[in-house]
Amino acid sequence: MHATDDVTRIAAFLRAIEDAVADRTQPWRFGTALFDDAHPVKWDANFLRVERSVGSATATELAAEADRLLAHLAHREFVFVDDAEGARLAAGFVDLGYTSDRLVTMSLRRDPDREPPPIETVELTFEEIHDLLLEVGRRAYPDHAEALLAHDRVFGERIGARYFAARVDGAFVGCCQLYERDGAAEIENVDTLEEYRGRGAARAVITTAIDAARADGADLVFLMADDADWPKRLYGKLGFDEVSHFRQFTRPPAPAAGA
């Protein structure tokens, strides 16, 4: 499959999933505002998606739009579909207190560099994987782990997410999720408890999710990664190639708001 086809399908997949899990959407000047009113602390569920060129608009002007549209929220977030346009505005957003992240979509194109280690992997229901997801959330976002997990439950119910876990020494230590739609599959939320990293749990659980997607007939399997973080290298070893980039700008809540 040509890279351009992958990019088009991935963009359509991500937009469809975002729209499906949103409580409501609202058009704004440069795209769509998405809201999950029941889970306001989930930043990636309450944001402004920039789908059209912003032209000569500055970061300051766009931030004012966010202040208006997201006034009921403690955070602010933009997702720029156009990587180049996001890059132009990155410095301006950083000056306004936003974090700037460049994210990469990676499509499975090759065989892995080696087979996964002999680690047990299983598919679980949300209830069965609940405790592991909660522990992962507590380590990353201790103040909001319960609320974020509640959003994950709703997310899974709305799009039929599948959950996979790796078990080491009798304990579930690593996990990922699989979203499927129209012959495409996204692997998301890959994580391993820190004390078990380096043993191949992530490699094993991702391989299991890939096999599940292929068994369901997916001809496109992809995932997303932080362009500057180490997991991208692991995904490359597993056979994923970079196909596109996009930008995300987030202004976290002020400490008084419970950041």
Side-chain angles (χ1 to χ4, degrees):
M1 182 174 292
H2 194 276
T4 303
D5 296 329
D6 282 2
V7 172
T8 301
R9 290 181 67 193
I10 289 171
F13 182 102
L14 294 175
R15 180 176 298 192
I17 293 295
E18 290 168 353
D19 290 349
V21 300
D23 281 341
R24 59 187 175 92
T25 61
Q26 174 183 334
W28 71 292
R29 187 155 54 122
F30 300 116
T32 304
L34 295 98
F35 303 97
D36 186 335
D37 296 317
H39 305 97
V41 300
K42 182 69 173 179
W43 304 346
D44 293 346
N46 298 273
F47 66 97
L48 301 184
R49 192 168 61 202
V50 182
E51 303 158 357
R52 297 184 291 276
S53 174
V54 301
S56 61
T58 65
T60 299
E61 291 169 342
L62 294 172
E65 287 278 295
D67 287 342
R68 178 178 64 85
L69 292 165
L70 308 180
H72 61 295
L73 299 167
H75 73 281
R76 303 286 183 266
E77 183 165 293
F78 290 90
V79 173
F80 275 74
V81 176
D82 188 319
D83 178 52
E85 193 156 57
R88 177 181 70 81
L89 294 163
F93 276 115
V94 171
D95 288 344
L96 294 171
Y98 283 73
T99 62
S100 174
D101 295 294
R102 189 178 193 233
L103 303 173
V104 56
T105 60
M106 305 180 71
S107 175
L108 185 63
R109 299 277 188 78
R110 299 172 283 105
D111 291 332
D113 61 340
R114 64 181 186 274
E115 292 298 312
I119 292 176
E120 180 187 6
T121 58
V122 293
E123 181 171 2
L124 301 174
T125 65
F126 182 85
E127 287 70 25
E128 291 169 332
I129 204 171
H130 174 279
D131 290 349
L132 175 59
L133 296 179
L134 183 59
E135 179 61 23
V136 168
R138 282 173 173 163
R139 296 186 182 199
Y141 304 101
D143 294 334
H144 298 304
E146 295 278 0
L148 295 176
L149 189 57
H151 174 269
D152 283 347
R153 179 189 293 275
V154 173
F155 195 100
E157 291 172 350
R158 292 181 182 176
I159 66 167
R162 300 173 66 182
Y163 305 91
F164 299 89
R167 182 155 42 199
V168 175
D169 299 332
F172 292 126
V173 303
C175 56
C176 73
Q177 299 176 22
L178 181 67
Y179 312 149
E180 299 171 287
R181 185 185 181 96
D182 298 331
E186 178 189 7
I187 297 173
E188 251 288 4
N189 296 328
V190 179
D191 212 323
T192 304
L193 298 179
E194 187 173 3
E195 60 270 30
Y196 290 95
R197 291 177 184 169
R199 301 192 193 185
R203 178 183 287 266
V205 78
I206 292 172
T207 300
T208 298
I210 290 171
D211 291 343
R214 293 297 197 208
D216 282 346
D219 64 310
L220 169 62
V221 180
F222 75 97
L223 43 71
M224 294 187 291
D226 187 324
D227 196 37
D229 207 356
W230 65 265
K232 186 178 77 168
R233 297 193 296 275
L234 169 63
Y235 303 149
K237 293 177 181 179
L238 289 170
F240 289 87
D241 289 336
E242 299 182 32
V243 295
S244 64
H245 297 81
F246 63 98
R247 302 272 172 162
Q248 181 171 294
F249 303 109
T250 307
R251 195 187 76 192

